Amino acid sequence: MSHTLGIRQAQKQKTRQAFLDAALALLEEQSLSSLGLREVTRAVGVAPTAFYRHFRSTADLGVALVDEALGSLHPMVRTTVATGGAERITRAVQLIADHVAAHPAHVRFIARERHGGVQPVREAIRAQLARFAEEIKTELAKDPEAEGWNDDDLLMLAHLYVDQMLITASLFLETLESPESPESAESSEAERQRVVRLATRQLRLISLGRQHWLD
């Protein structure tokens, strides 16, 4: 009996993931507010009624996509911020670059829906970003430079880092145009390196401002 239940649970999870993957692919060309339930079920190859075994609505599906896109990043972000000194910035930029390269569709989805027309999804993104800020604040508070800082100022600084990471992700996303020739591939890599340098300088500027905040 337990073996049968395990197979059923695995199949249910597989179908749920198929819905998420199909929706993400469809959202490359449109916003979540315009996505139709029948579009998603047709892409998965199931009847529309099957959708409701996994999600209450397309908004609920969108919230699940937010969790898939951002949820797994929390441990990596905490580890990166826990790194001290200049290495923290280097690792943060590399983390963003790697994540964008590995999951461009997720990054595009978050960038589009952060200010999109589906309120539960906007709120889910906002909650995830607020969680990042709280986690970053906790790590920043451990730095020697945090002496004398109050919680509100540390949280403000953490939000600056989160905002800058989002900007950096968008810049990296713009460098992912498919190259059609060796020349364009070389140009794309040059643009990527430009973004690395720019992002590094911008994060350093925030860090420099931090050093003089209490002056």
Side-chain angles (χ1 to χ4, degrees):
M1 177 66 75
S2 61
H3 178 66
T4 301
L5 289 174
I7 293 174
R8 288 177 179 173
Q9 187 62 33
Q11 183 57 48
K12 183 177 180 180
Q13 182 58 38
K14 182 179 179 180
T15 303
R16 186 179 190 275
Q17 188 60 52
F19 278 123
L20 292 171
D21 293 344
L24 192 62
L26 290 166
L27 289 169
E28 290 275 29
E29 305 296 334
Q30 61 185 306
S31 65
L32 184 64
S33 60
S34 65
L35 182 67
L37 182 152
R38 290 182 179 275
E39 282 184 272
V40 181
T41 55
R42 186 164 53 248
V44 176
V46 297
T49 53
F51 180 89
Y52 295 105
R53 300 192 193 111
H54 303 273
F55 305 101
R56 296 185 299 272
S57 63
T58 53
D60 189 36
L61 183 149
V63 171
L65 279 173
V66 172
D67 184 61
E68 182 177 72
L70 298 176
S72 65
L73 281 173
H74 290 281
M76 288 183 283
V77 169
R78 286 196 299 270
T79 300
T80 298
V81 179
T83 306
E87 188 181 353
R88 172 185 286 165
I89 292 176
T90 301
R91 290 185 62 176
V93 173
Q94 189 60 53
L95 169 65
I96 299 167
D98 290 347
H99 186 72
V100 172
H103 308 284
H106 281 109
V107 177
R108 273 190 287 269
F109 168 73
I110 295 298
R112 182 188 299 116
E113 300 300 331
R114 186 185 179 193
H115 303 293
V118 181
Q119 183 177 351
V121 174
R122 291 199 311 272
E123 291 174 350
I125 295 172
R126 191 180 305 121
Q128 287 279 0
L129 297 181
R131 182 181 163 193
F132 281 125
E134 287 288 349
E135 291 166 347
I136 291 172
K137 184 196 82 169
T138 298
E139 294 302 328
L140 293 176
K142 300 174 184 177
D143 292 346
E145 297 90 340
E147 184 177 355
W149 283 62
N150 60 46
D151 278 354
D152 288 342
D153 285 352
L154 277 172
L155 186 58
M156 177 182 66
L157 176 63
H159 276 291
L160 284 176
Y161 279 118
V162 171
D163 289 342
Q164 188 58 50
M165 290 170 78
L166 289 170
I167 291 170
T168 300
S170 294
L171 291 174
F172 276 121
L173 198 58
E174 293 175 5
T175 70
L176 293 183
E177 294 296 328
S178 299
E180 298 178 359
S181 66
E183 292 78 11
S184 57
E186 183 177 338
S187 175
S188 179
E189 178 57 24
E191 180 63 14
R192 182 182 178 282
Q193 291 303 319
R194 185 192 70 80
V195 172
V196 168
R197 292 192 297 272
L198 176 62
T200 300
R201 292 178 66 192
Q202 289 172 331
L203 287 170
R204 283 177 178 167
L205 183 60
I206 294 174
S207 296
L208 182 62
R210 176 192 186 184
Q211 295 173 22
H212 298 282
W213 177 248
L214 298 180
D215 291 353

